[in-house]
Amino acid sequence: MIGKISKGAGFKGCVNYVLGKPEARLLAAEGVLTDSIQTITDCFQAQRMMKPNIRQPVGHISLSYAPEDAPRMTDEMLVSLAKEYMQKMGIKDTQYIIARHNDQKHPHVHIVFNRVNNNGRTINDKNDCYRNVKVCKELKEKYGLYFGKGKDRVRTHRLKGNDKTKYEIYHAVKNSLSKSNSWKQFISELSRQGIKTEFKYRGRSDVIQGLSFTKDGITFKASDIDRSFSYSKLDRMLGETNNQYQQNIGMVTNGNQPVMQYENTYNSGSNVVESIVGALGGLFNPTPNYTDENVEAAFQRKLKKNKKRRINW
């Protein structure tokens, strides 16, 4: 069960879409005359004028169910689920229609409701996207509805804009992970698919705290694409740890904060250095190894400098 919420300014276009499709069937209605699309629209519009300044009086929700649930999805079951969904979402005491569409393999209904309720008050839509996810999950668990296998079931050809790009990145990352056993291969595979990989660092330290992917100028945090794509989880999958990375060999800044860094190592040998340099196309040259003697000498110089400052003060 998936709910998709939208709001609009005009009832005519929305009602025409919901009831004007071939084989669309009106299953239930409340507070409107159902003689025709025009009478339904007029009833919605009349109540909307109780609050004439509202910009988006039209509420539209589609409730879709998995094909696996189709045998159970009678008209009565769909109406019952839609009404319970509206109650849980706080859509009460207002006009609505519920219509079933049969243009897809999966069962689904459309709800059109008036956001100006019977008392002339606006139905609250605060955090409705988050509440929608919660309510759908509750109903799936309550009625034993099918739980999909995550993002792999999403039909990306029906998506547009940022959503489409997000799922394209999701599939590209999954595909690249199946072919990679190192960050070098992973970054290279994504690059071939037009996706840039960026590491986010903590302040100006060398501690990686996040990861993002960019495609077609649109950037997403890795964990927003999928929770399993967080930097720490990908790092474990790719067999490399943050402790390997110590010395910057390239940085892109955003203001004063570094947002992308690729690093070589102190101790893991030239193979890791070469792999990361290779992933960047040889644009950067790795800095030389720092020995324990170098580190100790730098530490002593810092002590002397601090001591001199104290004397001057």
Side-chain angles (χ1 to χ4, degrees):
M1 179 181 182
I2 297 175
K4 185 175 181 180
I5 303 173
S6 60
K7 292 177 278 288
F11 283 102
K12 183 177 180 180
C14 188
V15 175
N16 272 330
Y17 168 76
V18 169
L19 294 179
K21 277 202 167 187
E23 298 185 27
R25 296 204 316 275
L26 181 65
L27 302 183
E30 180 69 35
V32 296
L33 298 174
T34 59
D35 299 334
S36 66
I37 289 177
Q38 187 61 51
T39 59
I40 293 173
T41 301
D42 290 343
C43 289
F44 276 132
Q45 184 63 20
Q47 182 157 305
R48 170 246 197 279
M49 292 309 295
M50 294 172 67
K51 196 157 191 174
N53 294 329
I54 185 172
R55 292 184 177 181
Q56 294 184 312
V58 184
H60 175 218
I61 299 168
S62 64
L63 296 177
S64 303
Y65 302 86
E68 289 81 357
D69 289 323
R72 301 173 55 189
M73 292 299 125
T74 62
D75 290 350
E76 293 75 18
M77 180 67 167
L78 287 171
V79 170
S80 177
L81 285 168
K83 288 183 177 180
E84 188 169 352
Y85 171 89
M86 286 192 288
Q87 285 291 315
K88 288 180 176 291
M89 289 291 291
I91 303 170
K92 306 173 184 178
D93 302 320
T94 193
Q95 301 166 309
Y96 66 81
I97 61 171
I98 302 171
R100 180 171 190 166
H101 283 185
N102 294 293
D103 57 339
Q104 301 292 332
K105 292 181 180 180
H106 62 280
H108 64 287
V109 297
H110 290 263
I111 303 168
V112 181
F113 67 95
N114 203 327
R115 294 189 60 237
V116 179
N117 71 12
N118 301 334
N119 300 311
R121 297 177 180 176
T122 304
I123 292 176
N124 182 22
D125 62 349
K126 184 178 181 180
N127 296 324
D128 57 357
C129 291
Y130 298 103
R131 290 187 286 118
N132 167 61
V133 173
K134 181 182 178 182
V135 170
C136 286
K137 184 177 180 180
E138 288 176 357
L139 292 176
K140 284 195 289 187
E141 291 175 344
K142 179 178 179 179
Y143 294 100
L145 300 177
Y146 182 80
F147 275 80
K149 305 297 183 182
K151 296 181 176 65
D152 293 323
R153 291 180 57 86
V154 175
R155 294 170 297 165
T156 55
H157 68 280
R158 293 178 61 85
L159 298 175
K160 297 179 181 179
N162 287 9
D163 288 337
K164 182 177 179 64
T165 302
K166 181 177 181 178
Y167 279 93
E168 287 174 346
I169 294 175
Y170 169 79
H171 289 293
V173 170
K174 283 199 68 177
N175 179 59
S176 298
L177 282 172
S178 68
K179 299 178 181 179
S180 306
N181 56 20
S182 70
W183 278 105
K184 171 193 173 181
Q185 289 179 295
F186 179 64
I187 294 170
S188 180
E189 286 290 338
L190 288 177
S191 180
R192 278 197 286 269
Q193 298 173 71
I195 297 170
K196 182 172 66 173
T197 305
E198 296 179 322
F199 294 98
K200 178 65 185 287
Y201 281 68
R202 184 178 301 160
R204 302 198 65 84
S205 72
D206 59 1
V207 178
I208 299 174
Q209 66 176 12
L211 183 68
S212 64
F213 301 110
T214 301
K215 185 177 191 295
D216 299 332
I218 303 172
T219 300
F220 296 95
K221 288 171 57 179
S223 57
D224 287 344
I225 299 291
D226 192 87
R227 291 184 180 180
S228 64
F229 292 167
S230 68
Y231 168 73
S232 59
K233 291 178 181 178
L234 287 179
D235 204 41
R236 285 195 294 272
M237 282 188 270
L238 293 168
E240 296 177 22
T241 66
N242 186 42
N243 291 333
Q244 286 179 300
Y245 300 113
Q246 298 295 329
Q247 180 65 33
N248 299 338
I249 62 173
M251 179 189 300
V252 175
T253 60
N254 179 14
N256 294 323
Q257 297 297 318
V259 296
M260 181 173 71
Q261 294 174 309
Y262 295 90
E263 304 177 337
N264 76 17
T265 68
Y266 286 165
N267 303 315
S268 60
S270 61
N271 58 326
V272 177
V273 178
E274 292 172 358
S275 69
I276 300 173
V277 174
L280 294 172
L283 294 177
F284 302 104
N285 293 319
T287 56
N289 268 354
Y290 288 91
T291 64
D292 291 340
E293 290 80 7
N294 294 140
V295 175
E296 177 63 24
F299 180 68
Q300 292 298 332
R301 285 196 298 272
K302 185 175 181 180
L303 286 178
K304 291 179 180 179
K305 185 176 181 180
N306 291 340
K307 184 177 180 181
K308 183 176 180 181
R309 286 179 178 174
R310 288 195 295 271
I311 292 172
N312 290 337
W313 292 342

